[in-house]
Amino acid sequence: MRNARPGWPLLAATAGFLAVGIPYWLIPYNKVNLPSALPAGGLLLVAALALLLRAWGVASLPRAIAAMGASVVAAVLVRVLVEGVRDPTSHNLWPLEVVIASAVGFACSAAGAIAGSLIAMLARHFAQRRE
């Protein structure tokens, strides 16, 4: 990786966390139904940021997938923790919520990171052809 900067994955994960979390946290508890409650725009941003991390070469494939996938899981866990403190019986099935958020978050981040890897590979290929 030519421009490896440890802060970029953290910054991207924070943006993904907020993009998924804020709309998700605003949904009333009785209306939350995972995975459809996760905002599509936030999940698209997670995929796009994973793509950019790989295309720009600032994170390895596993690191990009892990950082962006974990941001979705973290957004769900924050809601579980906050609502669990308010009412301990509210999230009895929280492990299932985490599994669902993991599947959706890591699928979106993997798709974006793989696409970013392909873009980076094509960019290197065409740059070598010009030389």
Side-chain angles (χ1 to χ4, degrees):
M1 281 179 282
R2 55 187 161 83
N3 297 329
R5 300 239 160 83
W8 285 111
L10 179 61
L11 183 63
T14 302
F17 170 77
L18 293 173
V20 170
I22 291 173
Y24 176 65
W25 300 329
L26 295 175
I27 300 170
Y29 174 71
N30 60 351
K31 304 236 188 250
V32 172
N33 185 19
L34 286 177
S36 61
L38 295 172
L43 294 174
L44 285 173
L45 182 67
V46 165
L49 290 172
L51 182 145
L52 291 174
L53 287 174
R54 288 298 301 137
W56 289 339
V58 295
S60 66
L61 181 66
R63 187 168 184 179
I65 292 171
M68 298 314 301
S71 68
V72 177
V73 177
V76 170
L77 277 175
V78 165
R79 181 177 187 135
V80 168
L81 290 172
V82 169
E83 291 178 352
V85 168
R86 287 186 199 153
D87 178 12
T89 63
S90 64
H91 288 272
N92 293 332
L93 299 175
W94 69 266
L96 291 177
E97 294 179 56
V98 171
V99 168
I100 292 168
S102 296
V104 172
F106 284 99
C108 290
S109 65
I114 290 169
S117 295
L118 292 174
I119 290 170
M121 186 173 55
L122 287 172
R124 281 192 305 272
H125 173 73
F126 287 120
Q128 289 174 351
R129 275 184 96 184
R130 285 188 216 158
E131 294 173 357

